[in-house]
Amino acid sequence: MTALEFWVEGTPKPQPRVKAFARGRHAGVYTPDTADFWKAEVRRAALAKCSTPEPLTGPLSVHLTFLMPRPKSRKVDVWHTTKPDADNLAKAVLDALGDACIWGDDAQVVWLVAKKLYVTWETEAPGCAVIIEQL
């Protein structure tokens, strides 16, 4: 049973890694904001399609199809085999869905499918198709 299905338009961004820094004798860590706009778009699209204010419960299946911008400089296949990695793209989406309270905890995701493709037609826009099912 499909619990939620939606499209997020925009160029998918990966979850950035935590960075460490040192200032004199003090050290710290921070997460770059490179994916903040993308994650906000995911939250907005999810909440626009969510029919219930209650978080999804139980085990969940999440299918993500990322459509990446096609390079103008050369002809490429359908599959996007360069960075960003599919797992880092998926992590950003899962974090955004958790922030939107779509589910209680992303540990509920027991089946995750993520694929990366280039857009196929000039009229097709980059983005991500999201399908969440309760198992």
Side-chain angles (χ1 to χ4, degrees):
M1 175 178 120
T2 300
L4 191 59
E5 186 172 350
F6 60 95
W7 170 257
V8 185
E9 190 166 332
T11 301
K13 299 291 183 187
Q15 178 65 30
R17 296 189 187 275
V18 174
K19 305 283 184 186
F21 68 91
R23 272 196 201 121
R25 297 175 55 160
H26 300 282
V29 295
Y30 70 98
T31 302
D33 62 0
T34 55
D36 288 355
F37 180 78
W38 170 248
K39 290 166 70 172
E41 288 299 302
V42 172
R43 286 190 295 273
R44 183 198 56 73
L47 292 172
K49 285 290 187 169
C50 193
S51 60
T52 176
E54 296 298 316
L56 298 172
T57 59
L60 302 172
S61 164
V62 178
H63 293 253
L64 305 171
T65 302
F66 295 99
L67 291 181
M68 306 301 286
R70 181 175 290 279
K72 292 178 174 47
S73 62
R74 59 187 168 91
K75 185 177 178 177
V76 293
D77 289 332
V78 171
W79 300 106
H80 183 276
T81 58
T82 60
K83 291 194 177 282
D85 298 346
D87 59 329
N88 293 331
L89 290 169
K91 181 67 175 150
V93 172
L94 295 180
D95 285 353
L97 293 173
D99 292 346
C101 297
I102 299 301
W103 49 59
D105 190 322
D106 59 3
Q108 291 172 248
V109 178
V110 298
W111 185 4
L112 175 63
V113 176
K115 58 185 171 184
K116 303 183 305 175
L117 307 154
Y118 284 111
V119 293
T120 55
W121 308 107
E122 292 198 18
T123 57
E124 197 172 36
C128 180
V130 179
I131 302 171
I132 303 170
E133 297 176 320
Q134 289 182 296
L135 300 176

